[in-house]
Amino acid sequence: MAQDIVMVVGLGNPGPDYENTRHNAGALFVEALAREAGQSLRPEKKYHGHYARIQWQGLELHLLNPATFMNRSGLSVKALADFFKISPGQILIAHDELDLPPGTAKLKKGGGHGGHNGLRDTIAHLGTNEFQRLRIGIGHPGDSRKVTGYVLGRLGKRETEDLNEVFNETMRVLPDAVSGNLAAAMNRLHSFKPTTA
């Protein structure tokens, strides 16, 4: 099957201090995808991250969670992309999104970084913003001064349940997105609501 996307990256911060924080939603998604394919991500120094190559639903995907801190994510993304000669348009970056409510996710191609340091560094390293994104909603604390503490805060029980639901739905539409039918994947994913909504 022809694939438009061959590499899926989950943005997050490494180490136990950042486990299960809202800012790590992208990394949590990629870990869930690896599990779904019966794999786990393993440290890979040459890519500055945790890596797995999976066969899943007739697709072959490179999975990567950078082990650099968020604001250095691009170093890891570029290392893997360069090694396998993957173009920016074939990369899907999963990241947390303040402007979407928890339990929702949206697919998008291109666009700015919206103040997200992981996206900013990825754009700088790749030299373009024309990669695909999976924007995973974490909600907004309502006050810009509280954003840093909020994104670095741990996910609550309900937020975790919402995330797991939207991860499952994303995995249902991912084969469409990966194989070039982005419109079909977007239509389904963008109308998804968690059962707690």
Side-chain angles (χ1 to χ4, degrees):
M1 184 192 297
Q3 286 184 213
D4 275 23
I5 294 168
V6 295
M7 174 174 162
V8 183
V9 180
L11 298 187
N13 282 308
D17 288 353
Y18 297 99
E19 269 174 26
N20 291 319
T21 56
R22 295 180 184 95
H23 213 20
N24 276 29
L28 290 169
F29 170 72
V30 170
E31 284 168 15
L33 181 55
R35 276 196 305 275
E36 181 72 15
Q39 296 268 13
S40 56
L41 299 162
R42 294 197 163 78
E44 189 57 79
K45 279 200 174 120
K46 66 175 175 263
Y47 311 137
H48 311 282
H50 292 82
Y51 170 76
R53 190 170 189 163
I54 65 167
Q55 302 280 342
W56 176 69
Q57 297 199 17
L59 306 166
E60 184 172 302
L61 291 167
H62 299 278
L63 305 186
L64 176 70
N65 279 348
T68 54
F69 279 91
M70 185 68 89
N71 60 359
R72 300 285 292 132
S73 302
L75 178 73
S76 177
V77 175
K78 186 161 173 34
L80 180 63
D82 283 356
F83 188 82
F84 287 104
K85 300 185 170 48
I86 297 167
S87 70
Q90 295 174 301
I91 302 171
L92 176 70
I93 307 272
H95 66 91
D96 58 304
E97 178 59 72
L98 284 160
D99 294 334
L100 294 175
T104 63
K106 295 205 166 170
L107 288 157
K108 172 183 177 183
K109 180 162 189 188
H113 55 68
H116 193 292
N117 288 331
L119 290 176
R120 181 188 277 123
D121 196 61
T122 299
I123 291 167
H125 273 85
L126 293 178
T128 178
N129 62 0
E130 285 300 304
F131 47 84
Q132 323 255 4
R133 294 103 185 278
L134 172 65
R135 304 163 64 220
I136 301 165
I138 59 167
H140 196 288
D143 181 337
S144 58
R145 290 168 300 186
K146 293 181 179 167
V147 163
T148 301
Y150 177 77
V151 298
L152 295 177
R154 305 248 175 210
L155 291 156
K157 181 171 180 288
R158 163 122 176 233
E159 286 173 293
T160 301
E161 288 167 2
D162 284 348
L163 266 188
N164 288 335
E165 276 197 61
V166 83
F167 286 176
N168 288 336
E169 183 67 8
T170 302
M171 286 185 227
R172 284 184 203 109
V173 308
L174 198 59
D176 271 341
V178 166
S179 50
N181 199 347
L182 192 62
M186 289 167 100
N187 284 343
R188 178 163 173 181
L189 185 60
H190 296 185
S191 60
F192 175 74
K193 296 277 187 298
T195 52
T196 52

